[in-house]
PDB file of all heavy atoms in Angstrom:
ATOM      1  N   GLU G 166     -39.735 214.175 -49.260  1.00 89.00           N
ATOM      2  CA  GLU G 166     -39.639 214.830 -50.531  1.00 89.00           C
ATOM      3  C   GLU G 166     -38.179 215.179 -50.887  1.00 89.00           C
ATOM      4  O   GLU G 166     -37.984 216.248 -51.534  1.00 89.00           O
ATOM      5  CB  GLU G 166     -40.563 216.035 -50.556  1.00 89.00           C
ATOM      6  CG  GLU G 166     -42.011 215.833 -50.461  1.00 89.00           C
ATOM      7  CD  GLU G 166     -42.538 214.883 -51.583  1.00 89.00           C
ATOM      8  OE1 GLU G 166     -42.108 215.034 -52.724  1.00 89.00           O
ATOM      9  OE2 GLU G 166     -43.367 214.023 -51.299  1.00 89.00           O
ATOM     10  N   ARG G 209     -40.737 223.359 -45.352  1.00 97.00           N
ATOM     11  CA  ARG G 209     -39.671 223.130 -46.291  1.00 97.00           C
ATOM     12  C   ARG G 209     -38.686 224.265 -46.162  1.00 97.00           C
ATOM     13  O   ARG G 209     -39.106 225.506 -46.251  1.00 97.00           O
ATOM     14  CB  ARG G 209     -40.170 222.956 -47.676  1.00 97.00           C
ATOM     15  CG  ARG G 209     -41.093 221.766 -47.822  1.00 97.00           C
ATOM     16  CD  ARG G 209     -41.285 221.284 -49.195  1.00 97.00           C
ATOM     17  NE  ARG G 209     -42.294 220.201 -49.075  1.00 97.00           N
ATOM     18  CZ  ARG G 209     -42.868 219.670 -50.148  1.00 97.00           C
ATOM     19  NH1 ARG G 209     -42.505 219.980 -51.328  1.00 97.00           N
ATOM     20  NH2 ARG G 209     -43.804 218.737 -49.992  1.00 97.00           N
ATOM     21  N   LYS G 328     -37.970 213.123 -59.779  1.00 96.00           N
ATOM     22  CA  LYS G 328     -39.194 212.963 -58.873  1.00 96.00           C
ATOM     23  C   LYS G 328     -38.769 212.109 -57.636  1.00 96.00           C
ATOM     24  O   LYS G 328     -37.702 211.529 -57.595  1.00 96.00           O
ATOM     25  CB  LYS G 328     -40.297 212.405 -59.620  1.00 96.00           C
ATOM     26  CG  LYS G 328     -40.968 213.328 -60.608  1.00 96.00           C
ATOM     27  CD  LYS G 328     -41.627 214.527 -59.907  1.00 96.00           C
ATOM     28  CE  LYS G 328     -42.369 215.440 -60.851  1.00 96.00           C
ATOM     29  NZ  LYS G 328     -42.886 216.620 -60.236  1.00 96.00           N
ATOM     30  N   MET G 332     -42.263 207.168 -55.987  1.00 98.00           N
ATOM     31  CA  MET G 332     -43.120 207.107 -57.226  1.00 98.00           C
ATOM     32  C   MET G 332     -42.839 205.840 -58.047  1.00 98.00           C
ATOM     33  O   MET G 332     -41.713 205.511 -58.316  1.00 98.00           O
ATOM     34  CB  MET G 332     -42.930 208.361 -58.059  1.00 98.00           C
ATOM     35  CG  MET G 332     -43.440 209.633 -57.390  1.00 98.00           C
ATOM     36  SD  MET G 332     -43.284 210.987 -58.485  1.00 98.00           S
ATOM     37  CE  MET G 332     -43.877 212.331 -57.329  1.00 98.00           C
ATOM     38  N   ASP G 346     -48.525 216.293 -62.141  1.00 98.00           N
ATOM     39  CA  ASP G 346     -48.560 217.673 -61.493  1.00 98.00           C
ATOM     40  C   ASP G 346     -49.751 218.380 -62.114  1.00 98.00           C
ATOM     41  O   ASP G 346     -49.986 218.265 -63.315  1.00 98.00           O
ATOM     42  CB  ASP G 346     -47.293 218.477 -61.860  1.00 98.00           C
ATOM     43  CG  ASP G 346     -46.146 218.139 -60.985  1.00 98.00           C
ATOM     44  OD1 ASP G 346     -46.298 217.249 -60.057  1.00 98.00           O
ATOM     45  OD2 ASP G 346     -45.104 218.768 -61.039  1.00 98.00           O
ATOM     46  N   GLU G 355     -47.777 225.216 -60.040  1.00 98.00           N
ATOM     47  CA  GLU G 355     -48.163 223.861 -59.656  1.00 98.00           C
ATOM     48  C   GLU G 355     -48.951 223.985 -58.302  1.00 98.00           C
ATOM     49  O   GLU G 355     -48.483 224.465 -57.328  1.00 98.00           O
ATOM     50  CB  GLU G 355     -46.947 223.043 -59.423  1.00 98.00           C
ATOM     51  CG  GLU G 355     -47.152 221.608 -58.926  1.00 98.00           C
ATOM     52  CD  GLU G 355     -46.026 221.006 -58.169  1.00 98.00           C
ATOM     53  OE1 GLU G 355     -44.862 221.288 -58.583  1.00 98.00           O
ATOM     54  OE2 GLU G 355     -46.236 220.325 -57.218  1.00 98.00           O
ATOM     55  N   ILE G 357     -50.910 220.966 -57.422  1.00 98.00           N
ATOM     56  CA  ILE G 357     -51.030 219.576 -56.970  1.00 98.00           C
ATOM     57  C   ILE G 357     -49.827 218.798 -57.491  1.00 98.00           C
ATOM     58  O   ILE G 357     -49.412 218.964 -58.674  1.00 98.00           O
ATOM     59  CB  ILE G 357     -52.328 218.930 -57.427  1.00 98.00           C
ATOM     60  CG1 ILE G 357     -53.504 219.327 -56.639  1.00 98.00           C
ATOM     61  CG2 ILE G 357     -52.221 217.429 -57.440  1.00 98.00           C
ATOM     62  CD1 ILE G 357     -54.846 218.783 -57.050  1.00 98.00           C
ATOM     63  N   GLY G 358     -49.247 217.957 -56.613  1.00 98.00           N
ATOM     64  CA  GLY G 358     -48.303 216.928 -57.067  1.00 98.00           C
ATOM     65  C   GLY G 358     -48.779 215.630 -56.554  1.00 98.00           C
ATOM     66  O   GLY G 358     -49.235 215.490 -55.417  1.00 98.00           O
ATOM     67  N   GLY G 359     -48.852 214.631 -57.417  1.00 98.00           N
ATOM     68  CA  GLY G 359     -49.358 213.330 -57.001  1.00 98.00           C
ATOM     69  C   GLY G 359     -48.713 212.188 -57.757  1.00 98.00           C
ATOM     70  O   GLY G 359     -48.040 212.432 -58.749  1.00 98.00           O
ATOM     71  N   ARG G 406     -51.174 228.100 -52.389  1.00 98.00           N
ATOM     72  CA  ARG G 406     -51.162 228.345 -53.822  1.00 98.00           C
ATOM     73  C   ARG G 406     -52.589 228.316 -54.368  1.00 98.00           C
ATOM     74  O   ARG G 406     -52.902 229.084 -55.337  1.00 98.00           O
ATOM     75  CB  ARG G 406     -50.296 227.312 -54.526  1.00 98.00           C
ATOM     76  CG  ARG G 406     -48.831 227.545 -54.277  1.00 98.00           C
ATOM     77  CD  ARG G 406     -47.972 226.793 -55.238  1.00 98.00           C
ATOM     78  NE  ARG G 406     -46.592 226.788 -54.769  1.00 98.00           N
ATOM     79  CZ  ARG G 406     -45.701 225.949 -55.248  1.00 98.00           C
ATOM     80  NH1 ARG G 406     -45.994 225.159 -56.226  1.00 98.00           N
ATOM     81  NH2 ARG G 406     -44.458 226.037 -54.762  1.00 98.00           N
TER      82      ARG G 406
HETATM   83 MG1   MG Q 502     -44.303 218.972 -56.755  1.00 89.82          MG
END
Side-chain angles (χ1 to χ4, degrees):
E166 294 300 322
R209 299 201 187 172
K328 289 291 182 185
M332 293 183 181
D346 278 4
E355 179 204 323
I357 283 182
R406 290 195 193 167

